[in-house]
């Protein structure tokens, strides 16, 4: 078995220790090649080359951004049963995809789980989502996309990280609070949801498009607006028609409470198991995929891709 380990040396956890444990564990058992990322998009390039070169497994060691890039490299020419399987070793600040798969949140525990699965030949095929702006390239996402407020918060967090601030759940929480009260437009909704064969739904301030649950974590606490979303179904959407303090606080409280039904409320929009969704904006709106800010746009179409990739689990 040939495997490529794609490691992000800047991931915010004990990634080097996990990398060393993995490489020592498979000495003599597997042909393992280490490839460290050096710039944004590098994991995509490495994973695509691994697929071309016929590797059996691509192991992504890093945060959700590294995993997203690796997935897009593997699926550059679309899903295929002949592609390398994906293994994930979480070492970022949230690690939502790995935790949604049931892996331990720390890289050492996840390394042990991945080693056992590789030795036993255990795989799971999961569905993904894609996002396509007009005239732009299609891009896969593993757990969530967002248009509006959450993408604006991620934009602010990325700017602070670039200035040297350490990323952790408290940074996201502080940034979200500050941006909610002083950084976003809470008076003029810009977004409209369109679905094939259904009337459009306008007046939205934000939309989360989820491929699984939860949407994200605050430390160990899951934040879950779409609890029925899972890797075996279509896409779920959560939207808000008001950013007044009362409705927003009520929705957030429901997201953080263990339950099986979606967030309820007269200002809430829920969509479950959709094959295709389009979000249009009256003015340029912030956009994120898997926690990575991708700029502003006026329209993006999301599609569900069933059984898109094999995952070692």
């Amino acid at each position: 078995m040939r495997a490529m380990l794609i490691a992000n040396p800047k991931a915010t956890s004990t990634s080097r220790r996990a990398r060393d444990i993995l490489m020592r564990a498979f000495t003599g058992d597997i042909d393992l090649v280490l490839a460290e990322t050096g710039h944004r998009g590098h994991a995509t390039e490495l994973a695509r080359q691994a697929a071309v070169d016929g590797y059996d497994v691509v192991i992504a060691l890093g945060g959700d951004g590294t995993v997203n890039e690796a997935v897009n490299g593997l699926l550059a020419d679309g899903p295929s049963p002949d592609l390398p399987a994906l293994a994930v070793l979480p070492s970022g600040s949230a690690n939502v995809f790995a935790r949604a798969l049931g892996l331990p949140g720390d890289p050492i525990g996840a390394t042990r789980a991945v080693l056992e699965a590789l030795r036993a030949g255990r795989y799971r095929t999961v569905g993904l989502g894609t996002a396509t702006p007009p005239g732009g390239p299609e891009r896969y996402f593993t757990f969530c996309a967002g248009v509006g407020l959450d993408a604006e918060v991620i934009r602010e967090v990325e700017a602070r990280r670039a200035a040297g601030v350490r990323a952790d759940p408290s940074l996201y929480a502080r940034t979200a609070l500050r941006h909610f009260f002083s950084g976003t437009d809470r008076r003029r909704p810009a977004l409209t949801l369109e679905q094939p064969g259904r009337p459009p739904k306008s007046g939205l301030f934000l939309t989360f498009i989820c491929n699984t649950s939860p949407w994200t974590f605050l430390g160990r606490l899951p934040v879950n607006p779409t609890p029925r979303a899972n890797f075996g179904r279509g896409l779920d959407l959560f939207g808000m028609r008001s950013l007044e303090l009362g409705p927003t606080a009520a929705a957030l409280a429901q997201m953080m409470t263990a339950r099986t039904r979606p967030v309820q409320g007269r200002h809430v929009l829920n969509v479950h198991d959709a094959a295709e969704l389009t979000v249009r904006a009256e003015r340029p709106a912030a956009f994120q995929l898997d926690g990575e800010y991708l700029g502003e746009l006026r329209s993006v179409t999301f599609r569900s891709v069933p059984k898109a990739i094999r995952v070692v689990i």
Side-chain angles (χ1 to χ4, degrees):
M1 179 185 292
R2 298 173 65 219
M4 176 182 287
L5 173 61
I6 299 176
N8 177 5
K10 297 181 180 179
T12 56
S13 190
T14 54
S15 56
R16 187 170 296 276
R17 183 182 174 199
R19 183 201 70 184
D20 293 343
I21 288 174
L22 180 66
M23 297 197 73
R24 287 198 304 269
F26 273 119
T27 300
D29 295 333
I30 189 172
D31 182 7
L32 185 63
V33 173
L34 171 64
E36 289 196 331
T37 59
H39 55 81
R40 191 168 186 170
H42 197 187
T44 297
E45 299 167 11
L46 293 169
R48 183 169 191 172
Q49 191 60 48
V52 171
D53 292 342
Y55 278 79
D56 299 296
V57 179
V58 166
I59 305 169
L61 173 59
D64 287 309
T66 301
V67 174
N68 179 279
E69 288 191 9
V71 165
N72 277 277
L74 289 172
L75 298 177
D77 296 320
S80 168
D82 299 325
L83 289 173
L86 173 72
V88 179
L89 299 181
S91 64
S93 57
N95 308 310
V96 180
F97 181 60
R99 293 160 80 173
L101 289 170
L103 286 168
D106 69 285
I108 306 305
T111 295
R112 296 191 185 100
V114 167
L115 289 175
E116 292 176 3
L118 282 172
R119 286 170 174 155
R122 293 199 308 268
Y123 302 92
R124 175 186 176 188
T125 302
V126 301
L128 300 175
T130 64
T132 310
E138 178 183 70
R139 181 159 174 171
Y140 287 86
F141 61 97
T142 63
F143 64 93
C144 84
V147 183
L149 178 60
D150 76 315
E152 294 171 9
V153 171
I154 289 171
R155 178 181 61 200
E156 298 303 313
V157 167
E158 289 190 0
R160 300 197 69 189
R161 291 181 67 179
V165 179
R166 181 178 180 272
D168 59 26
S170 67
L171 175 62
Y172 283 90
R174 295 193 311 271
T175 303
L177 281 171
R178 184 174 58 252
H179 192 74
F180 177 81
F181 285 108
S182 62
T184 194
D185 188 340
R186 296 195 290 137
R187 295 182 178 275
R188 299 180 301 149
L191 306 180
T192 296
L193 170 66
E194 298 177 358
Q195 288 182 263
R198 299 188 181 184
K201 298 180 173 83
S202 60
L204 298 169
F205 284 91
L206 62 83
T207 57
F208 306 153
I209 298 88
C210 297
N211 184 52
T212 188
S213 60
W215 164 61
T216 191
F217 288 87
L218 287 176
R220 295 186 177 183
L221 180 66
V223 182
N224 201 355
T226 58
R228 294 187 295 169
N230 66 76
F231 292 123
R233 307 293 291 270
L235 300 176
D236 281 23
L237 178 141
F238 168 84
M240 286 290 294
R241 292 191 173 96
S242 171
L243 287 184
E244 294 297 321
L245 183 58
T248 304
L252 186 60
Q254 292 184 63
M255 292 181 202
M256 294 182 174
T257 304
R259 70 202 178 285
T260 57
R261 70 173 189 170
V263 174
Q264 304 294 307
R266 66 187 184 92
H267 298 292
V268 170
L269 173 66
N270 292 301
V271 176
H272 175 57
D273 193 19
E276 180 178 316
L277 302 162
T278 296
V279 177
R280 300 194 186 277
E282 294 180 2
R283 54 187 181 272
F287 169 53
Q288 65 89 7
L289 283 185
D290 284 349
E292 180 182 0
Y293 177 65
L294 294 178
E296 295 186 339
L297 44 68
R298 299 289 293 266
S299 174
V300 57
T301 295
F302 302 95
R303 295 184 178 89
S304 173
V305 184
K307 298 180 179 180
I309 195 166
R310 287 186 304 134
V311 180
V312 179
I313 188 66

